[in-house]
Amino acid sequence: MARVYVCSCFGITETQVKEHAEAGACTPRQIASACKAGTDCGSCVRRIQAILGRGASPRREPAVQGDLTGANDLAGRGEPVLSGLPQAA
C-alpha cells in the first residue's frame, strides 16, 4: 500500500493521523500536539479536518470529565493535551 502524505513538512501520513485519532486526538490541534502535523505551513489542516470527519470549520467541544478534565481547553489554547495530566511515578 502506498503512503499517502497528509503533512509533507513533517512527513506525516494519513495512516499516522488516523492512528492518533484512534488514540483519542479528535481535533486538528490535538493531532498537531501529537505529531506536529499542521504546525508549519498549515496547508494540511483542511485534510486533517476531513480525516477527522469535521469538515472545514472546527467546532468547540466542552472539556471532558475525569482524568482528562480540561484537555480540550489545553488543546484550544494550542498547548499539548498531555500537559494537563499528572506525572507518572
Side-chain angles (χ1 to χ4, degrees), residues 3-77:
R3 288 185 182 175
V4 178
Y5 287 93
V6 172
C7 176
S8 54
C9 295
F10 294 105
I12 305 300
T13 64
E14 184 172 314
T15 301
Q16 289 172 302
V17 171
K18 289 178 181 179
E19 288 171 355
H20 289 301
E22 289 171 9
C26 57
T27 67
R29 286 184 191 220
Q30 290 173 340
I31 294 292
S33 182
C35 65
K36 294 173 120 181
T39 62
D40 195 25
C41 77
S43 67
C44 60
V45 173
R46 286 187 181 206
R47 178 69 183 132
I48 292 168
Q49 289 173 331
I51 291 169
L52 297 173
R54 302 195 70 171
S57 58
R59 62 181 183 269
R60 301 296 266 171
E61 298 176 16
V64 295
Q65 298 300 313
D67 291 338
L68 298 176
T69 300
N72 288 330
D73 293 336
L74 292 171
R77 292 192 309 259

